[in-house]
């Protein structure tokens, strides 16, 4: 875009993902040729927080209606839905993944959908069922993106406030990178942490 922006996001709004104002953003993103990153959250992390960009279970309709728009999915409801038995009241499920989850299917079926593995939600998705994750990363090797979305100040957890107990005292971004190294083949790892993002955001000119 004119002033150097390379995408829209993170969009985190207390409205439905298919609201008219959101659809106008999708159309504008397509017109400008940039991706749009959406925070999908339908479980409150604390009382009074509310939901963000609701209606993910029907999001495939938007993927079809806005085929020229590149979407990047993010946050706990997007990643909880790698499993077909997504528990509606848990932001970060820890059970084994059941095959056939919406996010897994839609990444395969829709060329205009990508997944951002940042934050507590991305780490949880990677580590809740490592056997599943190895195949998931291989299947979607060109559709997944590493992002940090970490609040620590030094890359070692200082000043950070992760939600997951297993990340207490750790840098979320560093822990996510370590999980990716352990679960992805070297070429898949490079694609996720570098090649896919630079291609999608056209960072190589």
């Amino acid at each position: 875009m004119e002033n150097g922006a390379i995408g829209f996001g993170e969009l985190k709004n207390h409205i439905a993902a298919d609201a008219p104002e959101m659809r106008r953003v999708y159309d504008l993103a397509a017109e400008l040729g940039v991706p749009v990153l959406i925070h999908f959250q339908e479980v409150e992390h604390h009382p009074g927080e509310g939901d963000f960009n609701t209606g993910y279970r029907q999001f495939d309709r938007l993927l079809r209606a806005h085929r020229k728009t590149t979407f990047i999915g993010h946050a706990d409801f997007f990643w909880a839905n790698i499993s077909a038995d997504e528990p509606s009241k848990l932001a970060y499920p820890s059970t084994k993944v059941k095959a056939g989850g919406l996010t897994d299917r839609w990444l395969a079926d829709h060329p205009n959908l990508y997944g951002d593995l940042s934050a507590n939600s991305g780490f949880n998705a990677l580590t809740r069922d490592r056997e599943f994750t190895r195949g998931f990363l291989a299947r979607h090797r060109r559709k997944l993106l590493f992002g940090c979305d970490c609040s620590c100040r030094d890359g070692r957890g200082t000043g950070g406030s992760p939600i997951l107990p297993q990340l207490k005292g750790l840098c979320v971004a560093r822990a996510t990178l370590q999980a990716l190294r352990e679960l992805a083949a070297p070429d898949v790892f490079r694609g996720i942490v570098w090649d896919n993002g630079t291609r999608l955001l056209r960072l190589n000119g």
Side-chain angles (χ1 to χ4, degrees):
M1 292 184 278
E2 288 184 6
N3 294 322
I6 56 178
F8 290 137
E10 161 185 2
L11 299 186
K12 188 175 180 180
N13 305 295
H14 294 294
I15 57 176
D18 66 350
E21 52 267 52
M22 294 291 284
R23 285 178 174 267
R24 289 195 291 271
V25 173
Y26 307 152
D27 288 338
L28 181 59
E31 179 183 335
L32 295 172
V34 297
V36 54
L37 190 153
I38 303 175
H39 179 109
F40 292 103
Q41 180 182 329
E42 300 194 21
V43 178
E44 289 188 339
H45 294 169
H46 52 78
E49 180 185 30
D51 299 335
F52 300 93
N53 302 312
T54 55
Y56 181 67
R57 293 181 182 89
Q58 294 79 43
F59 191 67
D60 58 327
R61 299 175 188 173
L62 288 171
L63 292 170
R64 290 191 294 269
H66 297 269
R67 295 180 188 274
K68 294 182 179 180
T69 304
T70 298
F71 295 92
I72 304 173
H74 164 75
D76 47 87
F77 208 70
F78 180 83
W79 286 119
N81 275 285
I82 58 174
S83 182
D85 60 352
E86 170 270 318
S88 59
K89 299 301 181 184
L90 288 176
Y92 304 107
S94 58
T95 54
K96 293 288 186 180
V97 173
K98 182 179 179 181
L102 296 180
T103 297
D104 193 8
R105 286 165 31 207
W106 292 345
L107 283 168
D109 294 345
H110 297 281
N112 57 333
L113 178 64
Y114 291 75
D116 164 34
L117 285 163
S118 68
N120 292 263
S121 56
F123 178 83
N124 191 66
L126 289 172
T127 57
R128 63 181 283 195
D129 185 343
R130 288 173 178 258
E131 183 178 351
F132 169 85
T133 297
R134 289 185 176 91
F136 179 83
L137 295 176
R139 281 195 301 282
H140 304 302
R141 57 188 298 164
R142 292 180 62 84
K143 305 293 290 297
L144 301 174
L145 311 164
F146 167 75
C148 58
D149 200 0
C150 180
S151 57
C152 79
R153 297 192 297 265
D154 60 358
R156 302 184 185 281
T158 302
S161 55
I163 298 171
L164 294 174
Q166 61 266 42
L167 288 172
K168 185 176 180 179
L170 299 176
C171 170
V172 176
R174 189 182 293 270
T176 301
L177 280 174
Q178 182 59 37
L180 284 169
R181 286 193 185 96
E182 295 171 359
L183 295 166
D187 58 331
V188 176
F189 175 81
R190 177 182 169 83
I192 293 171
V193 303
W194 182 255
D195 295 337
N196 297 344
T198 56
R199 182 181 66 252
L200 186 64
L201 298 173
R202 294 179 290 185
L203 296 177
N204 288 329

